[in-house]
Amino acid sequence: MKNHSYDVIVIGAGHNGMTTAAYMAKAGLDVCVLEKSGGLGGGCVTRELCGPGFKSDPASTCHITIQANPLLLHDELGLISRYGLKYHHPEILYSVIFPDDSSFICYRDIDRTCASIAERFSARDADAYKRFCGWAAAGLEMMLPTMFSACPPTGQLFSMLDQSDAGRETMHALLLSGMQLLDEWFEDDRLKIAMARQASEVIFDPHEVGSGMHLYMLTPFIHRFGIGVPEGGSGALVDKLEACLRAHGATLRTRSGVRRILVQDGRTTGVELESGETITARRAVVSAVNVKQLFLQMLEPGHLPAELPHRVRRLKSNPFQSFCQIMALDEAPRYKAGEEVNRSGMVEFAPATRREFRRYFDDLQRGQIRPDVPAMVTQTLFDPTRAPPGKHTGYLHCYAPYHIEQGAERWDDIEKEVANEVLGHLERHTTNMNASTILHRKIINPREIERRNAAFIEGEATHLGNYLFQSMAMRPLPEWSHYRTPVGGLYMTGSSTHPGGSISAGSGRAAAQILCQDLGIDFDRLVA
C-alpha cells in the first residue's frame, strides 16, 4: 500500500475537525482530513432529501453558539469576507405554544420580549426577565472566553469565579437545575416552562442539576448574538471551511475510515485506514470522532493508562436523543397562536403545567415516546434560497430515547407511526398543515442518526451527555480535558470535548490553539 505523509492528520470531517484543520493549514502545515463517510460535515450538512431544490438539514439546523466565536466575530479564517459565508438572524428568536394555543414570544430585543411577557403573563415577570438578563449577562461575559479556548481546570475556574460577586452568582447558577433557577426569579409557571423548553434544546432535561448553566448562559446569549440561519443550509459552514482548506493546500479524503492509530514509543506516528493503507503524521494526529471510538477502538489498551478504558466506558449519554422529519412544503405553517409565531425562528410546543412538563421528561427517561412536545423550524422564512420559488423547507423534531420500551431494534418498524403522531400535533395547532401542503418528508429516527454518522453512537449527536460532571474542564475527563491525550502528538476535538455538542466550532478553535502552543506557532499572529 502507498504510504502518504503529512504534518497533521485530522480524523473526522465534522465542523470542529475541519475548523482545527483549517487553522493548521492557514499556519502553513501540510494537513490531511480523513472522513469515513461519503461526504464532509458530520452533523453539519445540507442535502436535497425531499426533492430537487429543497435543501434540507438532516441534523443541526440553527447555528447559535458559533455566533460568538472569534472564528466568525473576527473572521479569523476569512469564511465571511473571502469565502462568502452568510447568516440571517430572525428578529423573533423563538416561540413556545401551549396546548390552548396561547404562547410565549421571545424577540431579539429584550424590551419587546418584556412587553410581550407583561401582556401574556405579568408585569412582575416582565420586570424580572429584564433583571435576569442583566444578571446573567455579567456571568456570560466572564464565561465567554472559556467557550472558544481551553477551559481552565475546574478548581482554577471556581477559584477565579470566587473572586467577585458576579463570579459567585455564576457558580450559584451553574450548580442549580434550570427549573430551580427559574423558580428564584419568576412567578408564572408557563413562562418558566417556556424558557426551560428552549434551554432543553441542548438535549438536556431542565430538571437535572447542572442544567441551570445552559439556561443561565443561553438567555442573555441569544439576545446579544441572535440565532443564526446559514444561507444555503447548515452545510454552508462546512462548504466554506472546505474552500478555506483547499485554498491553503490541504487534502480532504472521504470514504477513508481510520481503523487504528499507530503509536511508537508513546507517540503517534500516523494512522492505518480500514483499507489497510497507512498514512504518516510528522507532527500530530487530531481525533474529531467520539471519544469512545478513539480510546476503545482506535488505540490498543497497551498504549493507554490502565484505568483509562474503564473511565471512558462509564461516560454517560443523554437519556433521550432526537427524532426528526425533514419536509418539503407547499407553504409555510400558519399557527393558530398568531402571526408573531408564524415569523419565529423556532416554534416549540410545551405542556402548560409543571406537573405535565416534569412528566414529559420522566417519560423520556423511562424509554417512552412522547410525540406531543415537538419543535418546528421553517428555514425558508429567512433563507428562501433553500427551496424553489414559493415553496418551503421544514425541520420538525422531537426528543426521543434511543432505547425505547419496545427495544431500540424496533425503531425502523414504528418510525412512520411515531412520525404521523408528531405531524398530527403540528396539524392540530396550524390552519394549513395537511397532506396537500406536505409535498415530501424524510424520517430520521435515532437508529438512523447512528447509521448516518458512526460518531453518533446510539443516536447521540452530542457524543456525551451534557451533565455537569461531563462539562467544561471535565469533558471528556478531567485529566484529558485540554484536547491532549496520553499519547504524544495525539489530540482531540469535536463534541466529546469542551464545549460539547451544537454548532459552535468552539472545540475546533480551542484544539487549534493547543496545537499551536505545542508546535511553537503563534496563534495570535496567525489570526491577526
Side-chain angles (χ1 to χ4, degrees):
M1 291 287 182
K2 187 181 295 185
N3 185 356
H4 297 288
S5 180
Y6 300 90
D7 291 326
V8 177
I9 296 171
V10 177
I11 306 170
H15 84 285
N16 277 301
M18 292 182 70
T19 297
T20 301
Y23 280 109
M24 294 298 96
K26 184 180 179 183
L29 300 184
D30 189 10
V31 176
C32 177
V33 179
L34 301 171
E35 169 57 36
K36 180 182 178 71
S37 73
L40 306 174
C44 185
V45 294
T46 299
R47 301 282 186 265
E48 291 190 348
L49 299 176
C50 295
F54 289 94
K55 300 176 183 178
S56 300
D57 300 333
S60 66
T61 191
C62 293
H63 293 192
I64 300 177
T65 313
I66 196 173
Q67 302 304 312
N69 193 326
L71 167 70
L72 297 189
L73 280 183
H74 304 149
D75 201 18
E76 292 177 339
L77 294 175
L79 299 183
I80 298 170
S81 60
R82 187 170 301 175
Y83 303 108
L85 181 63
K86 183 177 181 180
Y87 281 95
H88 302 276
H89 297 88
E91 283 304 310
I92 301 178
L93 300 172
Y94 70 93
S95 299
V96 178
I97 300 176
F98 299 106
D100 64 355
D101 286 315
S102 62
S103 62
F104 167 67
I105 310 292
C106 184
Y107 298 87
R108 177 86 179 267
D109 183 83
I110 292 177
D111 289 334
R112 290 186 69 188
T113 304
C114 291
S116 178
I117 291 172
E119 178 185 351
R120 297 164 187 263
F121 302 103
S122 74
R124 179 178 174 181
D125 275 347
D127 177 67
Y129 189 89
K130 188 160 189 175
R131 289 187 291 107
F132 178 84
C133 287
W135 173 74
L140 176 65
E141 195 65 31
M142 298 180 71
M143 297 297 291
L144 263 181
T146 72
M147 296 173 66
F148 310 110
S149 299
C151 186
T154 304
Q156 182 180 330
L157 174 64
F158 275 66
S159 178
M160 176 190 75
L161 293 174
D162 198 29
Q163 302 305 305
S164 67
D165 286 341
R168 286 185 285 272
E169 287 294 281
T170 299
M171 285 194 291
H172 174 75
L174 296 184
L175 297 173
L176 294 177
S177 74
M179 294 307 294
Q180 287 173 327
L181 181 59
L182 290 165
D183 282 338
E184 293 183 350
W185 284 85
F186 303 102
E187 60 182 9
D188 194 303
D189 280 345
R190 293 174 304 156
L191 176 59
K192 299 175 194 177
I193 289 168
M195 293 176 67
R197 175 67 180 85
Q198 169 62 16
S200 75
E201 288 292 341
V202 297
I203 314 295
F204 198 31
D205 182 346
H207 302 91
E208 291 273 3
V209 171
S211 59
M213 170 180 66
H214 302 289
L215 192 140
Y216 176 75
M217 299 280 284
L218 179 69
T219 304
F221 186 100
I222 58 176
H223 287 295
R224 178 175 172 182
F225 296 103
I227 292 176
V229 179
E231 185 168 296
S234 191
L237 171 63
V238 167
D239 292 342
K240 308 313 178 188
L241 284 167
E242 179 186 3
C244 175
L245 280 160
R246 294 196 185 281
H248 289 291
T251 299
L252 296 97
R253 294 179 53 176
T254 57
R255 305 195 187 282
S256 299
V258 171
R259 175 185 295 152
R260 66 188 179 106
I261 294 170
L262 305 176
V263 180
Q264 184 176 344
D265 298 326
R267 185 174 182 84
T268 181
T269 59
V271 300
E272 179 186 308
L273 302 187
E274 293 171 349
S275 65
E277 178 185 357
T278 61
I279 304 177
T280 300
R282 294 187 289 268
R283 306 191 72 177
V285 173
V286 183
S287 167
V289 301
N290 193 302
V291 66
K292 295 183 179 181
Q293 293 174 290
L294 173 63
F295 289 124
L296 303 181
Q297 299 174 21
M298 295 181 178
L299 284 163
E300 296 177 9
H303 296 310
L304 301 172
E307 73 285 353
L308 184 57
H310 167 68
R311 291 182 179 177
V312 171
R313 288 189 187 95
R314 74 185 185 188
L315 291 169
K316 305 293 189 292
S317 298
N318 289 310
F320 53 89
Q321 288 69 44
S322 185
F323 178 94
C324 299
Q325 296 181 70
I326 310 303
M327 298 185 290
L329 303 174
D330 192 48
E331 55 188 71
R334 294 195 295 271
Y335 294 93
K336 295 176 182 178
E339 181 57 31
E340 290 172 306
V341 175
N342 293 343
R343 296 184 284 110
S344 298
M346 178 182 293
V347 178
E348 299 166 299
F349 294 87
T353 68
R354 289 284 289 269
R355 181 178 181 179
E356 285 302 314
F357 192 55
R358 180 61 184 258
R359 179 181 294 172
Y360 167 67
F361 286 100
D362 287 347
D363 287 347
L364 294 173
Q365 296 260 8
R366 290 191 291 266
Q368 296 180 13
I369 300 171
R370 288 288 303 269
D372 56 328
V373 190
M376 178 71 170
V377 178
T378 308
Q379 302 97 330
T380 39
L381 291 172
F382 316 100
D383 176 17
T385 70
R386 297 194 191 198
K391 308 300 181 183
H392 290 273
T393 58
Y395 178 94
L396 178 64
H397 89 100
C398 66
Y399 305 146
Y402 180 92
H403 293 287
I404 50 176
E405 288 180 318
Q406 301 93 320
E409 68 279 359
R410 291 276 295 146
W411 259 121
D412 292 341
D413 299 325
I414 67 172
E415 67 169 16
K416 189 170 183 179
E417 176 186 349
V418 174
N420 287 341
E421 291 179 2
V422 176
L423 187 56
H425 188 84
L426 177 69
E427 291 174 349
R428 286 190 292 276
H429 290 274
T430 58
T431 61
N432 64 330
M433 287 292 100
N434 53 53
S436 65
T437 52
I438 300 170
L439 305 177
H440 189 80
R441 64 174 173 165
K442 170 67 177 176
I443 301 168
I444 304 175
N445 71 56
R447 289 197 81 193
E448 176 66 13
I449 291 172
E450 181 179 45
R451 286 192 290 262
R452 285 172 172 266
N453 192 319
F456 294 169
I457 298 172
E458 296 188 345
E460 189 65 82
T462 62
H463 290 195
L464 306 174
N466 290 313
Y467 300 102
L468 183 61
F469 56 81
Q470 292 176 174
S471 297
M472 298 179 287
M474 295 179 284
R475 191 177 185 95
L477 294 165
E479 63 269 41
W480 304 113
S481 62
H482 281 189
Y483 313 99
R484 299 183 181 95
T485 74
V487 177
L490 177 61
Y491 298 82
M492 295 180 286
T493 188
S495 295
S496 291
T497 61
H498 174 74
S502 83
I503 303 300
S504 71
S507 69
R509 182 179 187 271
Q513 288 178 307
I514 295 298
L515 275 158
C516 284
Q517 179 181 322
D518 290 354
L519 299 180
I521 299 168
D522 187 332
F523 184 83
D524 292 336
R525 184 175 179 181
L526 174 66
V527 300

